[in-house]
């Protein structure tokens, strides 16, 4: 699995794990992100069961197991958090930050030792000591209880399924040609995002944030002007319309 | 990287719970990863020593005989470190699968007698799952045996390197104007030996926890 530091300052770093060549072919490719401070590690959308071994190896490159203190699940999907039962055994003292709405559902993945931190609908924070991350509501995009993670220091928005692209093979990490890239995003957003109203609400919200990088859970990362291009493109796209 | 204190903190953090074998195997892979880097540095160091002894001509003859040993030992170590990494990662995967088989078997165990009476094929399913779980257990045990063997061999290589350090210092002291350069080579090898010793010790501790 590719494990690479993307951005860092003197307090913390962002790491991406993905493009796993050993991933079974029929499983959708996912990006997992980690934030490492000097003594803690947060894994965002840690992924499915099939990725667990590779993810564990990647995480341990940066932290001892007892320093992996926080997990974040943007929503309840299996590619986001079905590995929870294994992390639950592996991590001695961890907290899972996830939408309050999905607690009873997510616990089906197996959860005995981990603390479930319910994120209220209006959002909240994850305090890692060295950095406070903002949990930005992104409900109905696509899940009815859904959050993004915003890092105000490094100006990174982990956008979950928003901005996701389905591309074959092992595409580069960053969007290189936005217009070209839209063909890999269009069908996904039309089908998976059910509400134009929710879409507009989210766009209005994130336009107020200074964002240098937008990092989705599938596909490539947007940087600089491509973030604005994405927001404009998404605003103009009629969603929830793929089968109508 | 873990040291004795942080490893103890890791063990304590589980508060008496069993540390899953996949965590220990993945930790082992990470902790011994630096062994390969150190061995690569040693291989490079031997090339450097070769260059110095070539320049030193007569003065470097004594030392030049040792450089090949350093290189050969370093290359054996690189290959052993690769093998340890592969085995530990394989063990992580197999241990994860083993957890699923055990869960499945436990769930089948909770089925009622009536379910087994009405669906006799469940007996076969349970047997298959248990057999598969046994196979994973056996695979894991074999991997642990191989890991131990490789760790022992890395330890042997390190002992060889430790002996080479002493010889290096003797030969460096006879190298006249090249003494300082060759002495520095001996220092580098000695430093590597100490770092490797530390990692091997950590490997031993993690293996003990696995047992």
């Amino acid at each position: 699995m590719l494990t690479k530091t993307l951005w860092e300052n003197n307090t913390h770093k962002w790491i991406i794990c993905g493009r796993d060549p050993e991933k079974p072919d029929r499983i959708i490719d996912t990006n997992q992100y980690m934030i490492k401070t000097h003594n803690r590690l947060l894994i965002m959308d840690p992924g499915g069961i099939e990725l667990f071994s590779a993810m564990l190896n990647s995480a341990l490159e940066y932290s001892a197991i007892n320093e992996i203190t926080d997990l974040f699940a943007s929503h309840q999907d299996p590619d986001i958090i079905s590995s929870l039962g294994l992390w639950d055994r592996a991590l001695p003292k961890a907290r899972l930050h996830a939408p309050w709405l999905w607690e009873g559902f997510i616990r089906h993945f197996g959860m005995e030792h981990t603390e479930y931190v319910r994120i209220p609908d209006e959002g909240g924070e994850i305090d890692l000591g060295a950095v406070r991350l903002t949990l930005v509501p992104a409900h109905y995009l696509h899940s009815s209880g859904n959050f993004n993670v915003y890092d105000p220091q490094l100006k990174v928005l982990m956008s979950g399924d928003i901005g996701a692209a389905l591309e074959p093979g092992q595409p580069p990490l960053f969007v290189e040609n936005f217009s070209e890239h839209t063909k890999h995003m269009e069908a996904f957003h039309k089908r998976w995002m059910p509400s134009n109203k929710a879409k507009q609400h989210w766009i209005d919200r994130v336009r107020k944030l200074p964002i240098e990088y937008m990092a989705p859970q599938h596909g490539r990362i947007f940087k600089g002007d491509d973030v604005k291009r994405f927001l404009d493109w998404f605003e103009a796209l009629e969603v929830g319309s793929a089968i109508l | 990287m873990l040291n004795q204190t942080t490893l103890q903190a890791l063990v304590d953090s589980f508060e008496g719970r069993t540390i899953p074998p996949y965590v220990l195997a993945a930790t082992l892979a990470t902790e011994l990863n630096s062994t390969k880097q150190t061995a690569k540095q040693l291989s490079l160091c031997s090339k450097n020593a070769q260059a110095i002894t070539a320049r030193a001509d007569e003065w470097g003859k004594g030392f030049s005989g040792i450089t090949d040993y350093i290189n050969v030992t370093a290359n054996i170590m690189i290959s052993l470190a690769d093998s340890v990494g592969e085995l530990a990662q394989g063990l992580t995967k197999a241990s994860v699968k083993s957890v699923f088989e055990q869960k499945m078997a436990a769930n089948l165990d909770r089925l009622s007698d009536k379910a087994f009476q009405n669906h006799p094929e469940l007996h076969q399913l349970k047997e298959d799952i248990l057999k598969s779980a046994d196979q994973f257990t056996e695979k894991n045990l074999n991997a642990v045996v191989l890991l131990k063997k490789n760790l022992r061999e890395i330890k042997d290589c390190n002992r060889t390197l430790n002996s080479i350090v002493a010889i290096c210092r003797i030969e460096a002291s006879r190298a006249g104007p090249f003494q300082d350069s060759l002495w520095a080579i001996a220092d580098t090898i000695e430093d590597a030996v100490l770092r490797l010793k530390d990692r091997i010790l950590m490997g031993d501790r993690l293996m003990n926890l696995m047992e």
Side-chain angles (χ1 to χ4, degrees):
Chain A
M1 177 179 275
L2 169 78
T3 304
K4 190 176 183 323
T5 298
L6 292 172
W7 312 288
E8 62 186 310
N9 64 11
N10 55 354
T11 59
H12 66 288
K13 63 171 81 166
W14 279 69
I15 301 143
I16 186 171
C17 309
R19 312 290 194 270
D20 184 7
E22 289 180 27
K23 173 186 72 61
D25 286 343
R26 291 184 184 182
I27 290 177
I28 188 171
D29 193 33
T30 50
N31 300 327
Q32 287 68 230
Y33 299 96
M34 305 194 285
I35 293 181
K36 165 84 178 104
T37 70
H38 78 286
N39 63 350
R40 287 173 70 177
L41 186 86
L42 159 72
I43 308 178
M44 289 174 275
D45 288 352
I49 288 165
E50 290 286 346
L51 290 188
F52 173 77
S53 306
M55 270 307 293
L56 179 62
N57 281 319
S58 295
L60 290 179
E61 279 178 35
Y62 291 88
S63 277
I65 196 81
N66 50 330
E67 288 180 351
I68 306 173
T69 52
D70 297 83
L71 302 172
F72 165 77
S74 60
H75 59 287
Q76 82 294 359
D77 275 353
D79 63 325
I80 299 285
I81 191 65
S82 67
S83 57
L84 178 63
L86 293 161
W87 288 110
D88 181 62
R89 284 189 182 204
L91 306 180
K93 273 181 188 155
R95 304 191 310 161
L96 169 69
H97 307 262
W100 73 270
L101 188 68
W102 295 119
E103 180 174 1
F105 297 72
I106 284 177
R107 282 185 182 275
H108 273 282
F109 290 128
M111 194 169 157
E112 286 175 42
H113 310 288
T114 310
E115 180 191 350
Y116 195 107
V117 182
R118 300 172 192 88
I119 309 171
D121 282 341
E122 61 273 25
E125 278 189 339
I126 298 177
D127 185 357
L128 291 178
V131 59
R132 273 170 182 258
L133 303 160
T134 309
L135 300 170
V136 180
H139 307 308
Y140 296 101
L141 298 170
H142 64 93
S143 170
S144 50
N146 188 43
F147 292 93
N148 297 163
V149 178
Y150 177 65
D151 176 349
Q153 288 186 30
L154 290 170
K155 300 182 174 60
V156 180
L157 180 74
M158 199 285 268
S159 59
D161 281 320
I162 308 167
L166 302 180
E167 271 184 87
Q170 303 274 335
L173 285 180
F174 290 90
V175 172
E176 288 161 359
N177 180 331
F178 183 81
S179 308
E180 190 68 16
H181 188 61
T182 55
K183 70 177 180 217
H184 300 298
M185 298 192 291
E186 192 171 323
F188 181 91
H189 287 77
K190 278 184 171 173
R191 181 73 199 249
W192 264 273
M193 306 296 167
S195 161
N196 283 306
K197 197 174 165 189
K199 177 195 77 175
Q200 195 56 51
H201 193 68
W202 177 84
I203 290 170
D204 294 342
R205 191 190 290 269
V206 300
R207 274 208 172 119
K208 292 175 192 154
L209 301 171
I211 300 170
E212 285 290 324
Y213 299 96
M214 193 180 107
Q217 196 230 346
H218 306 283
R220 306 187 193 201
I221 297 166
F222 302 83
K223 63 179 169 191
D225 290 342
D226 280 341
V227 176
K228 189 184 172 302
R229 284 189 193 105
F230 173 78
L231 294 176
D232 293 345
W233 172 85
F234 193 31
E235 190 167 37
L237 187 76
E238 194 74 14
V239 300
S241 56
I243 56 168
L244 298 176
Chain B
M1 276 194 296
L2 289 171
N3 57 39
Q4 195 174 347
T5 314
T6 52
L7 177 65
Q8 191 55 49
L10 187 157
V11 173
D12 291 346
S13 68
F14 278 84
E15 295 175 339
R17 268 166 57 201
T18 307
I19 305 177
Y22 52 77
V23 169
L24 292 170
T27 305
L28 184 75
T30 313
E31 290 299 313
L32 292 185
N33 193 28
S34 65
T35 309
K36 187 178 172 182
Q37 299 312 317
T38 309
K40 276 184 177 173
Q41 284 162 12
L42 275 170
S43 177
L44 197 67
C45 175
S46 75
K47 302 278 190 299
N48 188 19
Q50 273 169 5
I52 296 169
T53 53
R55 275 202 307 276
D57 198 20
E58 277 299 313
W59 289 107
K61 269 195 173 164
F63 204 105
S64 70
I66 315 165
T67 55
D68 282 346
Y69 281 112
I70 302 169
N71 193 34
V72 168
T73 313
N75 285 331
I76 294 172
M77 261 190 174
I78 291 170
S79 147
L80 285 168
D82 273 340
S83 171
V84 166
E86 277 169 29
L87 281 167
Q89 287 190 6
L91 184 57
T92 309
K93 281 183 191 166
S95 304
V96 167
K97 291 215 157 70
S98 175
V99 167
F100 282 111
E101 300 290 25
Q102 285 160 11
K103 265 192 174 176
M104 182 68 178
N107 274 299
L108 285 173
D109 252 350
R110 287 201 289 269
L111 287 177
S112 65
D113 291 342
K114 196 177 163 192
F116 279 108
Q117 275 164 15
N118 292 342
H119 302 278
E121 68 276 15
L122 286 173
H123 286 291
Q124 189 57 47
L125 177 63
K126 191 178 161 186
E127 262 179 43
D128 289 346
I129 295 287
L130 288 173
K131 197 174 156 190
S132 171
D134 284 347
Q135 280 169 351
F136 278 118
T137 308
E138 197 181 326
K139 197 177 167 187
N140 292 351
L141 287 173
N142 289 338
V144 169
V145 170
L146 276 174
L147 274 169
K148 274 185 167 176
K149 182 176 167 281
N150 283 4
L151 265 178
R152 266 200 311 274
E153 287 178 21
I154 290 178
K155 212 182 279 183
D156 288 343
C157 286
N158 208 34
R159 278 200 202 102
T160 306
L161 284 171
N162 202 20
S163 315
I164 289 174
V165 172
I167 301 168
C168 281
R169 292 210 189 280
I170 294 167
E171 292 304 332
S173 65
R174 292 171 182 161
F178 294 90
Q179 180 174 325
D180 285 351
S181 307
L182 291 176
W183 196 267
I185 295 284
D187 284 346
T188 307
I189 301 169
E190 190 167 34
D191 179 57
V193 167
L194 288 174
R195 277 187 284 145
L196 288 165
K197 196 176 168 188
D198 179 64
R199 290 302 85 199
I200 293 164
L201 203 61
M202 187 50 63
D204 280 344
R205 287 188 178 124
L206 288 165
M207 291 302 298
N208 288 340
L209 284 172
M210 269 186 214
E211 286 166 341

